[in-house]
Amino acid sequence: DAGLNVRDVSFAYGDGTPVVSGITFGLPAGKVTALIGPSGSGKSTIADMLLGLLEPTDGSILVDGLEITAKNRRAWRDQVAYVPQDVFLLHNTIAANLRLAAPQAGDEELWAALRKAQAADFVERLDGRLETVVGDRGVRLSGGERQRIALARALLRKPSLLILDEATSALDWQNQSLIAQSIEELRGQMTILTIAHRPSMIAFADWVVAIEGGRMVEVGQYRRLKAKS
Ligand code: ADP
Ligand code: ADP
């Protein structure tokens, strides 16, 4: 089946205490899945396993039916993109920041990614150039602007899996809705996982997975879960 499958996955860090226990869920190709759970419930650990940065202690993760193994993990990492809550931007030009993900990309490709990330408008307003320097020595970007630059940078990787980890948790509603609009337009083009500790950005998710203490407590469609709570 197309997409990712997390199958009976557990994970323990160094001290051996499991922080993720027997988790099973699917990330259907082209769909938007939301992973929600309180702080410390294991969301980032699951993200790191999906990204190929951590290996499950037990169980397996399959991509289009093929298990991620030591052999193919590096190749898989090239197919994923990750947008964290705290975006790292170089104190350099917008173009340089975007080209971290795609060194060979021409300006047209960079603008296309900015448009998809709802970031082209404010870059045009800065002075219309990709050579605008951002950061301490240049233009100060708001949290939402940095987040949209980070989304554009993630898209330049042409990922098959895009993970947004608390990417909108600190943003105001205007910026949240711009990111939501981007995700809406990306639906169908890649597999998307949004992660949050509160159920703010999940209304548009096709599917919601809820965890607590490293265990699954719910999985289903948002409307159904909402009706129950
Ligand atoms: P969430 O993303 O939901 O906040 P995490 O996956 O970050 O949850 O953490 C799950 C549990 O694993 C927490 O109890 C956390 O303290 C623990 N943990 C996270 N990272 C490490 C680590 N590198 N070493 C040991 N324990 C960790
Ligand atoms: P907030 O957006 O929540 O107000 P800050 O603006 O204080 O957060 O910035 C948070 C972090 O991002 C700080 O480490 C800061 O140095 C860095 N930062 C701020 N503006 C930029 C920028 N334009 N480009 C890159 N990093 C920045």
Side-chain angles (χ1 to χ4, degrees):
D1 32 355
L4 281 92
N5 276 293
V6 175
R7 250 192 224 161
D8 209 15
V9 160
S10 300
F11 186 84
Y13 287 100
D15 73 353
T17 316
V19 297
V20 170
S21 308
I23 296 245
T24 297
F25 66 93
L27 298 171
K31 302 282 186 196
V32 181
T33 302
L35 176 62
I36 61 167
S39 185
S41 57
K43 303 182 298 295
S44 297
T45 303
I46 292 170
D48 284 348
M49 289 190 280
L50 290 168
L51 292 165
L53 299 173
L54 287 178
E55 191 183 346
T57 313
D58 267 307
S60 52
I61 297 175
L62 296 92
V63 179
D64 297 337
L66 196 75
E67 186 176 347
I68 303 176
T69 61
K71 225 173 174 180
N72 61 26
R73 188 166 287 114
R74 189 174 294 265
W76 169 242
R77 277 188 219 143
D78 289 338
Q79 292 185 51
V80 301
Y82 179 75
V83 180
Q85 176 164 10
D86 294 312
V87 167
F88 173 75
L89 294 182
L90 296 174
H91 301 309
N92 202 326
T93 64
I94 289 176
N97 273 289
L98 293 174
R99 287 204 175 98
L100 287 176
Q104 309 299 329
D107 282 5
E108 265 321 302
E109 197 178 342
L110 301 187
W111 278 112
L114 288 171
R115 278 193 294 275
K116 279 190 197 168
Q118 307 287 334
D121 283 357
F122 81 79
V123 173
E124 267 162 19
R125 259 182 277 117
L126 289 177
D127 66 358
R129 298 184 319 125
L130 295 170
E131 278 68 41
T132 302
V133 174
V134 295
D136 290 347
R137 285 178 285 116
V139 174
R140 194 186 155 79
L141 300 181
S142 73
E145 289 166 342
R146 288 204 297 279
Q147 215 65 48
R148 284 180 274 145
I149 296 280
L151 178 57
R153 180 162 66 191
L155 295 177
L156 283 161
R157 291 172 60 80
K158 300 188 169 66
S160 44
L161 172 68
L162 172 67
I163 298 185
L164 297 117
D165 192 352
E166 303 280 3
T168 61
S169 300
L171 303 185
D172 55 36
W173 67 267
Q174 286 107 324
N175 276 297
Q176 287 202 9
S177 82
L178 284 169
I179 299 272
Q181 210 174 309
S182 292
I183 295 172
E184 200 54 62
E185 285 167 24
L186 294 170
R187 196 197 298 271
Q189 297 175 35
M190 61 193 71
T191 305
I192 299 176
L193 179 68
T194 65
I195 298 177
H197 65 277
R198 54 194 162 94
S200 58
M201 290 282 288
I202 65 173
F204 58 87
D206 297 300
W207 203 246
V208 178
V209 178
I211 60 168
E212 250 177 65
R215 294 178 185 278
M216 299 221 342
V217 290
E218 279 281 9
V219 53
Q221 280 165 312
Y222 172 66
R223 276 180 197 82
R224 249 200 56 228
L225 296 184
K226 201 178 165 200
K228 286 172 72 173
S229 62

